[in-house]
Amino acid sequence: MKVTLKTSLAAVCLTVMASASPLTVTPCNILPIYRPDPFYAQNAAVSGLLLSFKAGIATLGTGFSVSWQYSASGPVAAWYPDPTCGWVYLNVQDTATSYKPLTWDKTWGSSWNATVDGYLTSIKTNTVPATKKFLACQLVAGTGAYANQWVLYLQTGIDSDVPDTWTDGTASFGVACVTTKLLVSPPA
């Protein structure tokens, strides 16, 4: 006997074969409902770029292509099938500088206001003010994995406070930065 369950999960069909062995379902076998990347950069220098992921670092680039979770008061999460195979959360890292690095992590640590047709805004905490200003820094000598990437920071202070370099842990790169906002577009 063959039973087929069809869903609207990005045209994914799960076929269950009746047999003596149990079906093993992992998070990578079942995908969440597809929702396109809704976070668009608004500065002319980064126009058309989307909130993206590169080795756990928040960047502006071509965006994620699977699914998103966001609300007016909670996490911003993206389904990332490789290599984490699950939800990753946009988090603000606490630093002494006014520009705070943004990372994608397996645990939720930062809350955001991601209201459709508004700008993505951090929710105020003891260490991070409510702000919708981001700093996008292009690697001047970006090659390899970071070619054409804009590393993203939350800008919590004055616009002139920007990093001089960025490091991936093995090499340092000079950066050129612009201030931007991220528009939350309606689901397609």
Side-chain angles (χ1 to χ4, degrees):
M1 175 180 145
K2 180 178 179 181
V3 177
T4 303
L5 172 66
K6 293 183 180 178
T7 68
S8 64
L9 303 176
V12 173
C13 293
L14 176 63
T15 302
V16 179
M17 301 297 289
S19 69
S21 63
L23 175 66
T24 301
V25 177
T26 67
C28 288
N29 295 111
I30 300 174
L31 300 175
I33 295 172
Y34 173 76
R35 291 174 76 183
D37 191 333
F39 302 103
Y40 287 87
Q42 294 299 294
N43 182 299
V46 290
S47 178
L49 296 180
L50 299 160
L51 181 58
S52 297
F53 176 105
K54 191 65 164 181
I57 304 297
T59 62
L60 291 179
T62 56
F64 287 104
S65 62
V66 180
S67 190
W68 289 86
Q69 289 182 1
Y70 54 93
S71 68
S73 179
V76 167
W79 178 263
Y80 196 70
D82 184 40
T84 60
C85 193
W87 293 103
V88 289
Y89 299 89
L90 182 63
N91 289 317
V92 179
Q93 301 304 309
D94 189 24
T95 62
T97 62
S98 69
Y99 49 92
K100 309 291 185 194
L102 298 172
T103 58
W104 291 101
D105 305 299
K106 292 291 280 178
T107 56
W108 169 28
S110 300
S111 292
W112 302 89
N113 178 343
T115 303
V116 171
D117 290 329
Y119 293 111
L120 181 63
T121 305
S122 61
I123 293 181
K124 185 179 191 262
T125 67
N126 291 335
T127 58
V128 176
T131 183
K132 55 186 149 201
K133 288 193 318 184
F134 292 85
L135 191 61
C137 297
Q138 187 174 39
L139 307 182
V140 174
T143 59
Y146 293 97
N148 303 315
Q149 294 292 312
W150 291 78
V151 176
L152 201 60
Y153 298 87
L154 186 68
Q155 179 59 281
T156 64
I158 57 174
D159 291 345
S160 61
D161 185 17
V162 298
D164 296 328
T165 61
W166 180 83
T167 181
D168 65 0
T170 59
S172 290
F173 303 93
V175 293
C177 302
V178 297
T179 302
T180 190
K181 294 178 181 175
L182 298 177
L183 181 65
V184 183
S185 63

